[in-house]
């Protein structure tokens, strides 16, 4: 395959919510050259059609059929660009599955991404979303991102500091949304395993692997594979498997509010989870707010709030994008009324 073009393409298998929608055209490419060729063809024959680049569709909500061209990367490959005694620089094709690369990295003794294990999605999408879990964000290990302009096929490189990274944020998600296809991500990984165990539940989950560590200390015999296994165990216990029940992971971002807002809420809800989030800011737990608003495990038609993690909305079967959106709005309304907080979806709505 170089490029593969399908008309009237079903998208059900291409979005983890399992929404039944179609794209006017679906184009899968496997290299920068084939993408450029396809883009040139699109400019000549379909310049009026909108374009949407997707990864594994794990952060998308299709609200209807997509009236344009859906692009999908099958651009694979892992290349060691250079190394020192402490670090490696590894270039990864944006179409690689992120979790497969994490497993590969661990096998090669390249560390830093263990805590991101099992997050669904491709490497390119990970760089767009700035995926994060258990105290690590992918931007912590990104060195550089390469992309191709969808409008003229030109190439561009962004150093990590130029990617506008923040909590679930990047320039690719904001001002450059829809303008570039990410083709490669270069990671800077460590050759020394230095586990990040700051997430509360992690040490507990690791106890099964270690008998030599006093409580609260980093287990001495911990290996990267064990950390990966523990992370996978935590995720499997809390989060629904998209293969079994459609979902897009966290549907909402955890809200970041001013310190005064958090302090005021803590007067009424002293048990409310809250975390420092930079100068004068506090991050609240959307899952907790949703649970308190009475939505955990509740359904609205074929859409529901997951019963083990209220931050996740699920498709109980046959839900449309509008069903999920309706539930999203109902949850937002109730959380707003009760706490005065407006939850912002993390998932991208596609019209
Ligand atoms: N909580 C509840 N009820 C719930 C869910 C959570 O009370 O239904 C409380 C928990 O008890 C805890 C707090 O909320 O005190 C935080 O919960 P948790 O540690 O499960 O993490 P989260 O903030 O809900 C975020 C990410 C997850 C990531 C975890 C672990 C966002 C939007 N979500 O969830 O990411 O796995 O932290 O790092 O930041 C994803 O992006 O798809 C995703 C799953």
């Amino acid at each position: 395959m170089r490029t593969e073009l399908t008309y009237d393409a079903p998208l059900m298998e291409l979005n983890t919510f399992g929404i039944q929608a179609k794209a006017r055209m679906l184009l899968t490419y496997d290299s920068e050259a084939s993408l450029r060729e396809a883009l040139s063809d699109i400019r000549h024959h379909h310049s009026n059609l909108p374009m949407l680049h997707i990864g594994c569709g794990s952060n998308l909500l299709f609200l209807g059929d997509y009236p344009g061209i859906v692009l999908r990367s099958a651009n694979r490959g892992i290349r060691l660009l250079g190394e020192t005694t402490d670090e490696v620089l590894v270039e990864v094709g944006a179409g690689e599955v992120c979790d497969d690369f994490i497993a590969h990295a661990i096998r090669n003794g390249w560390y830093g991404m263990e805590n991101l294990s099992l997050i669904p999605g491709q490497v390119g999408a990970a760089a767009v979303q700035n995926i994060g879990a258990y105290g690590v964000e992918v931007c912590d290990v990104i060195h550089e991102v390469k992309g191709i302009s969808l409008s003229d096929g030109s190439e561009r490189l962004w150093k990590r500091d130029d990617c506008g990274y923040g909590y679930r944020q990047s320039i690719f998600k904001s001002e450059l949304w829809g303008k570039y296809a990410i083709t490669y991500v270069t990671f800077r990984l460590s050759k020394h395993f230095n586990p990040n165990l700051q997430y509360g539940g992690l040490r507990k989950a690791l106890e099964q692997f270690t008998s030599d560590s006093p409580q609260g200390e980093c287990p001495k015999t911990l290996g990267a594979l064990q950390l990966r296994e523990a992370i996978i165990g935590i995720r499997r216990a809390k989060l629904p498997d998209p293969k079994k029940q459609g979902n897009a992971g966290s549907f909402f971002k955890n809200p970041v509010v001013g310190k005064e807002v958090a302090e005021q809420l803590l007067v009424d809800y002293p048990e409310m989870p809250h975390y420092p989030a930079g100068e004068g800011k506090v991050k609240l737990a959307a899952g907790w707010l949703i649970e308190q608003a009475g939505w955990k495990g509740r359904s609205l038609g074929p859409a529901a709030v997951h019963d083990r993690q209220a931050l996740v909305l699920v498709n109980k079967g046959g839900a449309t994008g509008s069903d999920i959106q309706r539930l999203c709005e109902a949850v937002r309304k109730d959380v707003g009324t009760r706490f005065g907080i407006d939850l912002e979806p993390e998932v991208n709505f596609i019209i």
Side-chain angles (χ1 to χ4, degrees):
M1 177 187 66
R2 282 171 54 75
T3 53
E4 203 176 273
L5 183 64
T6 319
Y7 287 86
D8 239 358
L11 297 171
M12 181 131 165
E13 302 284 320
L14 298 181
N15 74 99
T16 58
F17 254 124
I19 302 291
Q20 209 159 15
K22 281 184 173 177
R24 181 145 166 201
M25 288 158 73
L26 170 70
L27 191 138
T28 308
Y29 62 91
D30 67 356
S31 67
E32 287 184 326
S34 58
L35 171 62
R36 271 208 199 87
E37 207 179 296
L39 287 173
S40 150
D41 198 53
I42 289 168
R43 276 196 299 281
H44 283 104
H45 302 291
H46 308 286
S47 58
N48 56 331
L49 292 183
M51 282 188 265
L52 169 73
H53 201 297
I54 64 169
C56 296
S58 55
N59 230 332
L60 298 176
L61 182 64
F62 286 105
L63 293 178
D65 289 342
Y66 187 68
I69 307 168
V70 169
L71 299 169
R72 210 167 159 250
S73 172
N75 186 30
R76 304 240 158 78
I78 298 174
R79 203 156 61 100
L80 181 64
L81 297 183
E83 60 185 311
T84 64
T85 43
D86 297 324
E87 287 181 337
V88 287
L89 277 186
V90 190
E91 183 192 71
V92 184
E96 289 282 352
V97 171
C98 194
D99 190 55
D100 291 349
F101 172 61
I102 295 172
H104 176 91
I106 293 174
R107 277 196 302 274
N108 281 275
W110 306 334
Y111 305 116
M113 296 179 81
E114 304 77 32
N115 294 28
L116 305 178
S117 292
L118 208 66
I119 297 184
Q122 292 183 337
V123 162
V128 172
Q129 290 296 128
N130 190 20
I131 59 168
Y134 312 109
V136 173
E137 286 183 327
V138 77
C139 69
D140 300 337
V141 288
I142 285 181
H143 171 66
E144 196 166 81
V145 177
K146 188 176 178 199
I148 284 188
S149 160
L150 296 181
S151 61
D152 63 12
S154 62
E155 190 176 297
R156 192 160 157 194
L157 264 185
W158 295 266
K159 292 280 176 209
R160 190 255 304 268
D161 290 349
D162 299 329
C163 295
Y165 282 130
Y167 167 61
R168 299 294 199 272
Q169 228 178 45
S170 75
I171 47 165
F172 312 113
K173 260 194 104 168
S174 49
E175 67 231 53
L176 297 185
W177 175 253
K179 298 203 165 96
Y180 282 87
I182 303 302
T183 50
Y184 287 96
V185 180
T186 301
F187 295 96
R188 181 187 290 278
L189 298 172
S190 174
K191 285 182 169 178
H192 311 292
F193 177 52
N194 192 4
N196 182 329
L197 305 179
Q198 61 179 265
Y199 179 80
L202 203 45
R203 283 204 187 88
K204 193 156 177 25
L206 285 165
E207 274 164 18
Q208 58 169 307
F209 294 113
T210 51
S211 48
D212 64 344
S213 70
Q215 234 188 347
E217 268 184 32
C218 172
K220 290 187 187 63
T221 56
L222 176 68
L225 262 180
Q226 291 167 331
L227 177 54
R228 174 172 162 80
E229 263 178 57
I231 296 281
I232 289 175
I234 296 176
R235 288 190 78 87
R236 289 215 168 113
K238 277 194 190 173
L239 299 166
D241 177 354
K243 289 194 188 95
K244 296 188 182 132
Q245 188 169 47
N247 75 88
S250 299
F251 193 91
F252 299 100
K253 292 183 186 177
N254 282 328
V256 177
V257 299
K259 202 163 150 249
E260 324 69 51
V261 174
E263 276 165 2
Q264 192 54 46
L265 283 168
L266 282 163
V267 174
D268 294 330
Y269 307 98
E271 73 290 5
M272 178 182 75
H274 59 288
Y275 319 92
E279 188 94 357
K281 301 275 182 202
V282 176
K283 195 190 269 185
L284 307 180
W288 185 88
L289 297 168
I290 296 167
E291 182 170 349
Q292 297 302 308
W295 272 103
K296 192 167 183 169
R298 241 174 92 188
S299 304
L300 191 63
V305 176
H306 188 52
D307 55 3
R308 274 174 284 145
Q309 165 53 288
L311 198 46
V312 178
L313 304 191
V314 297
N315 175 359
K316 290 199 302 176
T320 62
S322 308
D323 291 326
I324 308 280
Q325 188 181 31
R326 210 168 302 125
L327 175 62
C328 159
E329 290 313 325
V331 168
R332 272 176 99 169
K333 181 166 162 281
D334 284 359
V335 168
T337 306
R338 174 128 181 213
F339 298 103
I341 303 266
D342 185 21
L343 291 181
E344 189 191 336
E346 184 194 319
V347 166
N348 303 302
F349 289 62
I350 309 299
I351 304 165

